[in-house]
Structures are given as C-alpha cells and as structure tokens.
Amino acid sequence: MTRFQKLASATTVMAMILVMVGAVVRASGSGLGCPDWPRCHGNWIPPLEKTAIIEYSHRLVASIVGFLVLALAVVAWLKQRTRPAVFWPSLLALVAVIIQAGVGRQVVLDELHADTVVLHFFLSLTLVGLLATATVNSFHSRGGGWDRVSRLAAWTTAAAFIVLMVGASVVQQRAGAEVFSDWPLMNGSLLPPDGAKPLLHYTHRLVAALLGVSIGLLAYRITKRDPKDRTLLMLGHGAFALWLVQVLLGGFNVLSGSAPWTIVGHVLTGELLWVALVSLSILAYRKGGVAAPAGGREAEGAGAKGGGGGRIKAYFMLTKPRIIELLLITTVPAMIVAQRGWPAPWLVLATLVGGSMAAGSANCINCYLDRDIDEKMQRTSIRPLPSHDVTPANALRFGVILGVVSFIFMALTINMPAAWWSLAAILFYVFVYTIGLKRYTPSNIVIGGAAGAAPALIGWAAVTGDVGRPAWVLFAIIFYWTPPHFWALALRYSDDYKAAGVPMLPVVRGVQETTRQIVLYSVVLFAVSLLMYPVAQLGVLYLASASVMGLAFVFYSLRLRKNPDGKQAMSLFHFSIMYLVVVFVALAADVLLNVPAIESIYQVVLVAAGTIFVGFSAAILVGVIGYRRPEEAPGRLRVLAIEVLWTTIPLVMMTALFLLSWGSVALASH
C-alpha cells in the first residue's frame, strides 16, 4: 500500500468510528450533554458526567477526523491531481467535513432540532461515502464502463442512501417504536393506520424491503458475471448479509422499545452496508470492461453508446456536470450568509436541484450551438454531440425542457425572484455569451462570467426573496475569478481554439498580453474578495482565508507571467478551482461557527481593497483601449466598443459598491 492509500483507509475508518460514536450519543441521550459549543459547560475540559463525557468524546473524534481529512486533501492536492477519481472525492471530503462541523454546532444550539439532526446525518453519510470512494479509487482508478451489474450497483447504492435517510427521519420524528410496538406487522395489520408518522414508518419498511430485493439481485448478477472475483463476491454477498442483520435489528428496535443496543447496532450495520455498496459500485464500474481514455482521465463521452445506461450518461454529460459542481459550491455559502446560519434543508435541496437544472439547460444549449467548434477541438471532441451519442435536435430539446422545468420548479418550490434570476442566467449565457460574443471578441469570457456568477444571486434570493449588497459582492468575486481561471486553460489549449476559429485572448493577442491580463484580474479578484469582509460583517476566519488564498492566486499568476508554459498554466488553472472552494467554504464556516470579527479594521480593509480595485481595474481598461488592433481585423471598432463597455460597467458598479459600503461602515462606526 502507498502512503496515500494508508492515509485514505485510516481516514475512512475513523469517519466510520465517528458515526458510531454519534450513534452512542443518540442511544444514550447525550446529545445535550454539552449544551454549548465548542466548549462543554463553558470549559474546554468536560465535567465528569456520563452524558458530557460521551458527547465530548464525539467532538474529540470529530476533531481527529477533521485533521485526517485535511491531511488527505493536502496530499491529494500534491500527489493525486492527475487522478480525478481520487483527487475530487478527497477535496470534496474536506468541504463536507467543514460543513458538517458547522451543522454539528447548529445541532447543539438548536437543541437537537429534527431537521438539523437529519442534515447532520446526511453529511455524515456523504463524508463516509466520499472517503470510501477516494480509498477504493486509490487502488483502482483506471478503466471502467457501464453494464448491467455496474448500473444495478449504482442504483442499489442510491436506494440504500434513501433508506438510511428515511430511517433517520423516522428516528427524529419519533415515528419508530413510539408508533408501533409489534413487528413485522403494524398494530396487527399489514397496512398502517392513517397519520403522517405511521406512513413514514411504513415507507421506511417498504423501501428497506425493496432494497433487499435489489441487493439480492445484485449479488446474483455478480455471481453470474464474475464468479471468480472474490472481492466483488464478498462485497455482494456481504451486503446482502448486512441487510438481513439490519432488518432483524430494526425489528428488535421496535419490539424492545428502542433499546440502546438496537439503536447502535442498527446504525453500525447501516453504515457498513453503505460503505460496502459504495465500494461495490466503484469496483463494478472499474471492472465493467471499457478501457479508460488516453491520459487516465475519464472522457466525457466514454461509454455513451450502447444501451439505455449509455444514453443516460450522454445526456448527463451534455449538462457539463464538472461546471455545475463549481456553481453549486458557490450557491450554498451564499444561502448560509443570507440566512446567517443554516437555511431549511428542504430549501437548500430545492435550490440545488433547481439551480442544477438551470445550469444544465444552459450548458446543453451551449453544446448544441457550439457543436461545430467542439468537433474541431481535441479537448471537446469527446463530448456527446461530436461523438454522435446524441442528435443535435435531441440535445436542444433536452436543454430547453430542462430550462422550462427548472423555472417552474423554482417558482413553485422556492420563490419567483430565484426563478427569474435562474432564467436570466440561462438567457444571458445562451444569447449574450454563446451567440453574441464568444466567436467575435477576446473579451468573451469576461462577459460570460456574469452567467457563471449568477448562482450567488440565486442562492441569496432563495433565502431572502431579494438580492442584497453582499450577494453582489459574491457575484463580483466569481465574475473576476472567471477570466484568470479560464484564460489559464485557454493558454494550455490555444492551438485548439485557433484551429476552431474562436478568438480567445491567447489566440488573438498572444501569451504576453494574456498573462498580463491574468495578473491584473488576479489582483482585482483579491481586492473584491476582501470587500466581503466588511460588507457581510464576517469574522477573521474569512478575512484570513481570503487574504492567504488571494495572495497565493497572485503568486501563481506572477509565476505564469514569468514562465508562460503549459505546465504553469494548468497549475494556475487547478489552483483557481481550489481557491474558489476554499474561499466559499471559509465564508460558510465563518458564519456557521460565528467567528468573531475585528470591526475596527472594517474601514481600513474597505479603503485598501477599494484603492487596489480602482487602480488595477483602471489598468485593465487602459490596456483594453490602448491595445493596437490590426487595421484589417473584421469589426475592429465594434469589438473595441464591446470591450470598453463591458470593462467600464463592472468598474463603475463595483466602485459605487465600494463607496456605498464605505459610507455604511462609517455611519455604523459613529
């Protein structure tokens, strides 16, 4: 085993132990053994009381898991970036554990409110699943394909997650032994009586039974497909055995009136079943018989042909899920800041689902409109349309349907402002960026960044019904992050864009001008990120994170400016993703942990950030105006007008935002 494999395995085991200790806390009624957070009864050392010691042990194990996950993410960043199947689960596990810590705090402050506890359990399963994924992929991260076994394994794993979440809801809604005292019948009947709690209990039993059928079928198919694969056989038959034990413990839980040992045993077998099915799904896919594309990265269009599963994957890849992941990372922190705490779980889920559909709609239509370009570029030639896995008409139809459904869904489940902002983002991305600008001006990605920044506005509107000043600062952070992020990628693939006739900045104005613009935008991004500190009245955790990551971003940009090669460009590109994740996670953590602020430096930060912003934004504008465009360039004056307009508008708006914020802070200080 490599060091990373050992670290990943140890971290996964510790995360599972954390869940088990949480079950002991639940079974022993120790959830409020420490009624404050992070201290216990106001002290760092808990009193010698049973409930306090049990609860504090849970926090201690959680701290150990947090440090292990941080170490895993750092090692993955340093050693595993060429293996996305290992790198991304490790990085997302860090995001999950930080959010989980914030929710754990809220569980205590809300005095074990049912919704918050269920959300905490949801994050626990997510964390364990991500760690198990990283661990298994560290041993088997190449190759794979979808067949009957791997598809069934994936569906069964999803079903297990649903069963576990329904079970958590049963416990928190007191719909278990409190509702029925007999098993397997319900008050002597096969059908439940009327009422929400009996129906919830019955739903749990029903989906658990269906899960058993699915696991049994999966074990049978593994035996038929891979009769000599001991690992798959052990996982398949072991999962079925765990399900049987889980069912029996569920029955004993009801019959014993929720005895503590049945609660702990039920959670333990459920967790083991979850890890077994996650591992089984990954291995079943890896051994599905389709070789990995060159370079070790799973191609977007790989495996799209051949059956219903392939078609589903092709349509899924049309939505550009990797881009959606980044968009969602910016949505939830915006909601947390707007709420100044955790919004209702159903609202977060609805916003993420609606936002994903809206982003998927825009990306599908973009794929349809850019299919001729994608065919000419090596990086995008594996997408579903160039690969002929989906017809252009069907892609367009799918994108439009997703957009309509997303608008209706958000209007019905969230509110109209969030629905209108999501629709505006779709229309802007399709008509302004893709149709209007992408093929005509090297400033295309600057302007197009407005669509990618919309999730911050959508998340804020979902919580408050309007868009406040902090939401616009979050919008600006993503807006100014987009050019250096994408231009770094464009430097690496400039030959692709040149062959496709797309006027990206490196193609039209060369490497030196591109790296100069990257440095300028990186400094502007640093200034804008600091503005969030006084505007949203955040704590020192966010200020420190934004400062360190912002300066690191500038450092990476300057390094690229000095050595503008493909390696340095991709180094900046990958770091920019980490930057966005860390800054927005720190933003959410700062609010959830209620980190104290240094209010006396609000004005200092505002003045310093505002000065940097205006100075370097003016340098960008001067560069746009002063750049000598070839006389024979088509539409030269029109391109100049567009670039000046779209550089001036953000400069004016953000300068006004800085001045308004300075005025508000100055009034508050007096």
Side-chain angles (χ1 to χ4, degrees):
M1 292 174 64
T2 65
R3 290 181 180 178
F4 181 86
Q5 290 168 341
K6 292 177 181 178
L7 177 60
S9 301
T11 307
T12 304
V13 171
M14 282 303 302
M16 295 175 68
I17 292 173
L18 174 62
V19 176
M20 284 309 307
V21 177
V24 174
V25 171
R26 161 75 178 83
S28 62
S30 304
L32 293 177
C34 294
D36 47 350
W37 193 98
R39 299 185 181 185
C40 186
H41 293 280
N43 298 309
W44 289 111
I45 299 176
L48 296 178
E49 300 172 359
K50 176 185 173 182
T51 57
I53 292 173
I54 293 175
E55 166 61 15
Y56 210 71
S57 298
H58 181 55
R59 298 185 187 182
L60 179 61
V61 176
S63 300
I64 296 172
V65 171
F67 283 115
L68 285 173
V69 172
L70 175 61
L72 186 72
V74 171
V75 176
W77 175 261
L78 295 174
K79 302 292 186 180
Q80 302 292 333
R81 277 183 288 175
T82 58
R83 303 170 71 190
V86 177
F87 173 72
W88 283 110
S90 303
L91 202 64
L92 291 173
L94 178 60
V95 176
V97 81
I98 293 173
I99 297 175
Q100 188 184 19
V103 175
R105 169 184 177 273
Q106 202 63 37
V107 166
V108 175
L109 298 182
D110 288 347
E111 297 184 349
L112 309 183
H113 188 277
D115 290 342
T116 315
V117 174
V118 171
L119 178 60
H120 194 53
F121 186 69
F122 169 87
L123 290 167
S124 299
L125 291 180
T126 303
L127 174 62
V128 171
L130 287 168
L131 291 173
T133 300
T135 302
V136 175
N137 278 330
S138 68
F139 290 89
H140 307 274
S141 65
R142 298 289 187 263
W146 295 104
D147 59 7
R148 294 177 67 190
V149 172
S150 55
R151 282 196 295 270
L152 179 59
W155 284 111
T156 304
T157 304
F161 189 85
I162 293 171
V163 170
L164 291 170
M165 290 309 303
V166 174
S169 298
V170 167
V171 172
Q172 295 306 317
Q173 297 297 332
R174 299 188 179 279
E178 299 87 350
V179 176
F180 301 118
S181 59
D182 54 343
W183 184 89
L185 300 178
M186 292 161 285
N187 291 343
S189 173
L190 286 172
L191 296 176
D194 293 336
K197 290 185 178 180
L199 180 60
L200 179 60
H201 187 113
Y202 176 71
T203 301
H204 182 52
R205 293 193 187 186
L206 180 61
V207 293
L210 294 175
L211 174 63
V213 174
S214 183
I215 294 174
L217 179 59
L218 177 60
Y220 170 76
R221 285 188 176 177
I222 290 172
T223 304
K224 296 289 288 183
R225 191 191 79 170
D226 302 295
K228 296 183 180 180
D229 192 320
R230 292 185 177 181
T231 304
L232 282 180
L233 288 172
M234 181 182 67
L235 287 172
H237 293 282
F240 189 73
L242 285 169
W243 174 82
L244 287 175
V245 175
Q246 177 83 334
V247 169
L248 292 174
L249 285 170
F252 283 124
N253 182 276
V254 172
L255 296 174
S256 66
S258 297
W261 69 270
T262 62
I263 295 174
V264 175
H266 205 50
V267 173
L268 172 61
T269 52
E271 184 183 27
L272 290 173
L273 177 61
W274 168 240
V275 172
L277 288 174
V278 169
S279 304
L280 177 57
S281 296
I282 297 168
L283 288 176
Y285 174 81
R286 294 298 173 201
K287 299 180 180 184
V290 177
R297 293 181 67 96
E298 289 78 12
E300 290 183 351
K305 296 178 181 178
R311 284 192 294 272
I312 292 173
K313 181 178 180 180
Y315 279 102
F316 176 68
M317 298 313 298
L318 274 175
T319 65
K320 301 182 182 178
R322 289 181 180 174
I323 295 177
I324 294 177
E325 287 175 3
L326 284 176
L327 298 181
L328 298 184
I329 286 172
T330 63
T331 302
V332 176
M335 298 179 73
I336 291 172
V337 177
Q339 185 72 38
R340 302 306 294 188
W342 267 108
W346 68 265
L347 179 61
V348 175
L349 181 61
T351 305
L352 293 180
V353 171
S356 297
M357 288 192 292
S361 166
N363 289 332
C364 281
I365 299 173
N366 171 265
C367 285
Y368 167 79
L369 294 170
D370 284 349
R371 62 191 186 279
D372 57 326
I373 295 175
D374 288 343
E375 285 184 349
K376 299 174 183 177
M377 296 177 60
Q378 183 179 357
R379 182 176 67 88
T380 58
S381 61
I382 55 177
R383 287 177 177 170
L385 283 173
S387 301
H388 306 291
D389 297 328
V390 179
T391 65
N394 284 341
L396 178 60
R397 192 177 296 116
F398 180 57
V400 172
I401 291 173
L402 266 184
V404 172
V405 172
S406 71
F407 179 81
I408 296 173
F409 175 82
M410 296 184 80
L412 293 177
T413 61
I414 306 174
N415 55 42
M416 287 306 299
W420 283 117
W421 279 114
S422 65
L423 179 61
I426 295 173
L427 296 177
F428 187 94
Y429 188 72
V430 171
F431 291 98
V432 177
Y433 170 66
T434 306
I435 296 178
L437 299 171
K438 183 174 181 178
R439 305 182 188 223
Y440 303 105
T441 169
S443 294
N444 47 23
I445 200 62
V446 178
I447 305 161
L457 305 181
I458 296 169
W460 194 281
V463 172
T464 66
D466 57 15
V467 177
R469 194 179 299 168
W472 285 110
V473 179
L474 291 176
F475 175 92
I477 291 174
I478 307 168
F479 179 83
Y480 284 105
W481 168 86
T482 303
H485 164 75
F486 200 87
W487 282 335
L489 184 69
L491 280 170
R492 171 65 178 81
Y493 293 100
S494 58
D495 291 340
D496 261 8
Y497 286 111
K498 185 176 182 180
V502 180
M504 285 296 172
L505 195 64
V507 175
V508 177
R509 297 182 184 170
V511 173
Q512 289 301 315
E513 177 63 18
T514 302
T515 55
R516 174 181 171 276
Q517 291 288 333
I518 286 176
V519 171
L520 292 175
Y521 271 93
S522 299
V523 177
V524 170
L525 171 64
F526 171 63
V528 172
S529 68
L530 294 182
L531 175 61
M532 193 65 188
Y533 175 65
V535 168
Q537 297 183 336
L538 297 172
V540 293
L541 173 61
Y542 173 79
L543 178 62
S545 301
S547 300
V548 171
M549 295 302 292
L551 291 173
F553 204 122
V554 174
F555 168 77
Y556 272 84
S557 302
L558 290 171
R559 192 171 69 172
L560 175 62
R561 173 77 168 163
K562 183 178 180 181
N563 300 302
D565 54 28
K567 180 180 179 180
Q568 297 297 342
M570 293 308 295
S571 180
L572 173 60
F573 174 77
H574 290 302
F575 175 80
S576 67
I577 297 173
M578 186 178 183
Y579 168 88
L580 196 68
V581 173
V582 171
V583 168
F584 274 80
V585 169
L587 175 73
D590 192 285
V591 173
L592 292 174
L593 300 177
N594 197 24
V595 178
I598 306 175
E599 297 182 11
S600 59
I601 65 170
Y602 277 168
Q603 290 193 55
V604 176
V605 172
L606 263 172
V607 171
T611 303
I612 295 171
F613 173 82
V614 173
F616 280 84
S617 294
I620 293 173
L621 181 59
V622 169
V624 168
I625 296 174
Y627 182 79
R628 293 185 178 181
R629 294 160 183 82
E631 293 290 338
E632 67 276 8
R636 183 170 62 92
L637 294 178
R638 183 186 66 175
V639 170
L640 173 62
I642 291 173
E643 292 179 357
V644 171
L645 176 67
W646 283 99
T647 306
T648 304
I649 290 176
L651 172 59
V652 172
M653 291 181 64
M654 286 304 300
T655 301
L657 190 57
F658 269 100
L659 292 173
L660 288 172
S661 302
W662 180 79
S664 299
V665 171
L667 286 174
S669 64
H670 292 294

